[in-house]
Amino acid sequence: MKAIAFHRMKVHWPLYVMAIPGIVFLIVFKYIPLAGAVIAFKDYSVFQGFVDSPWVGLKHFNTLIDHPDFARVFGNTLVLGALKLTLIFPVPVLLALMINEIRKSALKKGIQTALYIPHFLSWVIVGGILFDFFSLSGLFNIIIGWFGDESVLAMQESAYFRPIYVLASIWRDAGWGTVVYMAAISAIDPQLYESAMIDGASRFRQIRHITFPILLPTVMVLFLLEIGNFLDLGFDQVYNLLTPMTYNVGDILDTYVFRTGIQQAQYSFATAVGLFQSVIGFIMVYTFNRLSKKVSDDGGLW
């Protein structure tokens, strides 16, 4: 086995060289920082350092759970995470299937480009656009004014925060999310579609019985990866959409940690919250991975 492995490395050495930067990145930015998780069990002080800071066990985890705002913040995180999985995640799949049905190459590329562009805007810019759009003089209030409704500051209203969060996520990232799915669709053997057409299958039936079943393993893998980030909703997105009036529905673990952990220099507490999120994410990935293996032999990450 060692001889075979060495022979493969010798033959395919350019591929292994190309993999080195990615491996170094993972080690430096993903694995080495794991050692810092130890401060979640200490009262970390920048003056005493990692080693000399006193151990406190599960003190910071108990502080998190016993905090009066924990139920609200954790509940908001679960709700937004569920919205992300149920409403946002399926959109790139549907877009990829629809884009694939466009026969004119120029139109297809134009639509793809138009859908990709918002992804390259930072959430700071997107947040500014949304605040202008929903301002009293913005387009949103102009439109509802045409129908006789009164102006409303939607970004300051709790009832509007979650719909805006979902729509903003779809507008910015759905187009970029189609990249992987379009690549998977392009790898499907055209002879399958030709055989289906000979048998009289409509375009919808071709999608239903050829495209989507072949695409499903890719969807399952990305779904499992998304579940791993279920509690990690993205600090920059929520923070740039959040206002003090929408804390009751939009304040999540990331923004809560930023206020209580980072701004108040409670680094051990912030690390404890991050570790809590990671453990929940791992449990969810493991559980859904087992379920996906039962549904499909090609499903699952391992």
Side-chain angles (χ1 to χ4, degrees), residues 3 6 26 68 117 194 268 291:
F6 180 76
L26 286 175
I117 288 176
E194 294 173 1
S268 293
L291 293 175

Side-chain angles (χ1 to χ4, degrees), residues 88-132:
I88 300 173
F89 178 81
V91 174
V93 182
L94 297 175
L95 280 177
L97 293 174
M98 290 189 290
I99 292 172
N100 186 59
E101 294 304 309
I102 300 174
R103 291 293 167 256
K104 292 185 178 180
S105 178
L107 178 60
K108 185 176 183 178
K109 291 180 180 179
I111 292 175
Q112 284 181 290
T113 302
L115 293 174
Y116 292 165
I117 288 176
H119 176 76
F120 298 100
L121 300 177
S122 71
W123 278 110
V124 176
I125 296 175
V126 174
I129 293 173
L130 289 173
F131 273 96
D132 285 338

Side-chain angles (χ1 to χ4, degrees), residues 10-11 21 56 75 81 87 134 144 174 176 181 183 216 239 242 250 264 276 295:
K10 186 177 180 180
V11 173
V56 294
L87 299 180
F134 289 104
I144 65 174
W176 183 255
Y181 300 120
L216 187 59
Y239 183 75
L242 201 62
Q264 299 179 18
F276 171 79
V295 173

Side-chain angles (χ1 to χ4, degrees), residues 131 153-158 161 238-251 255 259:
F131 273 96
L153 283 172
M155 298 299 293
Q156 317 293 338
E157 296 285 343
S158 300
F161 179 83
V238 177
Y239 183 75
N240 284 288
L241 299 181
L242 201 62
T243 63
M245 284 71 76
T246 56
Y247 275 170
N248 60 322
V249 295
D251 195 18
T255 55
R259 292 197 316 276

Side-chain angles (χ1 to χ4, degrees), residues 9-213:
M9 292 181 66
K10 186 177 180 180
V11 173
H12 302 292
W13 67 267
L15 299 178
Y16 288 95
V17 172
M18 291 174 60
I20 289 176
I23 294 173
V24 172
F25 175 84
L26 286 175
I27 293 174
V28 173
F29 293 101
K30 300 296 182 180
Y31 288 100
I32 292 179
L34 288 176
V38 70
I39 67 174
F41 306 96
K42 291 187 170 188
D43 266 336
Y44 173 72
S45 170
V46 293
F47 301 104
Q48 293 177 300
F50 288 93
V51 178
D52 297 329
S53 295
W55 288 90
V56 294
L58 299 177
K59 170 187 172 182
H60 300 295
F61 295 93
N62 293 329
T63 300
L64 172 65
I65 295 174
D66 294 337
H67 198 280
D69 292 332
F70 174 75
R72 173 180 57 82
V73 172
F74 188 61
N76 291 337
T77 307
L78 292 178
V79 170
L80 292 182
L83 291 174
K84 190 175 182 180
L85 287 179
T86 57
L87 299 180
I88 300 173
F89 178 81
V91 174
V93 182
L94 297 175
L95 280 177
L97 293 174
M98 290 189 290
I99 292 172
N100 186 59
E101 294 304 309
I102 300 174
R103 291 293 167 256
K104 292 185 178 180
S105 178
L107 178 60
K108 185 176 183 178
K109 291 180 180 179
I111 292 175
Q112 284 181 290
T113 302
L115 293 174
Y116 292 165
I117 288 176
H119 176 76
F120 298 100
L121 300 177
S122 71
W123 278 110
V124 176
I125 296 175
V126 174
I129 293 173
L130 289 173
F131 273 96
D132 285 338
F133 181 83
F134 289 104
S135 66
L136 291 177
S137 59
L139 184 60
F140 176 76
N141 281 307
I142 292 176
I143 293 175
I144 65 174
W146 292 344
F147 298 94
D149 293 330
E150 295 183 359
S151 298
V152 58
L153 283 172
M155 298 299 293
Q156 317 293 338
E157 296 285 343
S158 300
Y160 288 90
F161 179 83
R162 289 169 181 170
I164 291 173
Y165 170 86
V166 171
L167 294 175
S169 299
I170 293 174
W171 177 74
R172 181 182 182 272
D173 295 326
W176 183 255
T178 63
V179 173
V180 176
Y181 300 120
M182 291 298 296
I185 291 173
S186 65
I188 298 176
D189 189 353
Q191 294 182 0
L192 295 174
Y193 295 107
E194 294 173 1
S195 300
M197 291 174 64
I198 293 173
D199 292 337
S202 63
R203 296 301 304 175
F204 179 76
R205 287 187 175 273
Q206 292 176 39
I207 295 173
R208 179 181 176 185
H209 297 290
I210 298 176
T211 309
F212 187 72

